[in-house]
Amino acid sequence: MTSPRTVRRVVSLVPSLTEAVAAGAPGLLVGATDWCVHPAGLDVVRIGGTKNPDVAAIAALRPDLVIANEEENRAPDLAALRAAGLDVMVTEVRSLDQAFAELERVLLAGCGLTAPPRWLDDARAAWAAPLPPSAPYPPRAAVVPVWRRPWMVLGSDTFAGDLLARLGVRNVYADHPERYPRVPVTELRASGADLVVLPDEPYRFTADDGPEAFPGLPAALVDGRFLTWYGPSLAEAPAALRTALRRARPVPSSRRP
């Protein structure tokens, strides 16, 4: 933001930030994307998707602030919003520490809170706590697909990869030059991983769609909100992800391709 001022109307173009603002500064949100599904029952104007927001509809809401993310939102859309005279705050979140810093910036500098909300303190505490004895150790090497047809996986410099590393899961492709490389499934199977982590977003992997592509490899099905969202869910994420990792099991032979 260019100068301090009272913010009373906020439009969010990022599902994670929508939930964060709704929980931390209730009453400010006037618009959000069609993909902003948390909190349930959020009553705001829907302004399109994260990749195709309706600039005219956003401008008509007369927001004091539009919050966005450099990965989830397209630069041309952000430029169009600025050209319409709107104040746009763009976040970058590629690690847990960066997520905490950006959430505080959005809520304090952007939305005008005088102190971080309780859930943000709880999230910091949850991730700072020592790992319990039941954690999935020794550390495991994993492939983490995020899309199928074509197969795409977590590469370098990703928020989700940082969360997994903090839980003792090493991403096999963490040193890849791309953040989300396309890798043939045959190469994924031969990568040396002893675990496959399958989130339910952006691609919706399920027990019947994903594990069968990695015969003999334990598959951890995880809630994408706990792996890829940065907001109130971060307080629950360490426990939820550890539980999913502990439950990883190989695909039964009858279901292998």
Side-chain angles (χ1 to χ4, degrees), residues 78-86:
L78 303 182
L81 290 167
R82 290 191 177 102
L86 301 180

Side-chain angles (χ1 to χ4, degrees), residues 66-188:
V66 178
I67 50 177
N69 176 264
E70 52 88 30
E71 179 176 54
E72 293 202 46
N73 307 119
R74 302 185 316 129
D77 295 324
L78 303 182
L81 290 167
R82 290 191 177 102
L86 301 180
D87 194 355
V88 181
M89 175 180 278
V90 182
T91 59
E92 179 183 278
V93 177
R94 300 190 180 190
S95 70
L96 179 61
D97 290 341
Q98 196 174 28
F100 287 145
E102 289 289 64
L103 285 166
E104 191 162 307
R105 183 169 73 97
V106 166
L107 294 168
L108 275 62
C111 296
L113 272 65
T114 57
R118 175 64 181 270
W119 61 259
L120 188 51
D121 292 336
D122 290 343
R124 283 193 169 104
W127 282 98
L131 290 171
S134 59
Y137 282 80
R140 308 176 79 170
V143 291
V144 191
V146 294
W147 201 257
R148 185 172 188 170
R149 304 181 191 93
W151 286 94
M152 298 175 66
V153 297
L154 290 186
S156 58
D157 195 28
T158 66
F159 172 71
D162 185 41
L163 295 195
L164 289 171
R166 291 167 184 268
L167 297 174
V169 177
R170 179 180 64 84
N171 176 14
V172 170
Y173 290 94
D175 295 326
H176 195 282
E178 298 178 25
R179 298 184 66 216
Y180 301 100
R182 296 186 181 189
V183 183
V185 70
T186 52
E187 183 177 326
L188 297 179

Side-chain angles (χ1 to χ4, degrees), residues 159 198-202 221-229 233 241:
F159 172 71
L198 298 168
D200 63 6
E201 60 177 84
L221 294 165
V222 303
D223 186 329
R225 182 165 166 260
F226 293 124
L227 184 62
T228 63
W229 286 48
S233 59
L241 292 173

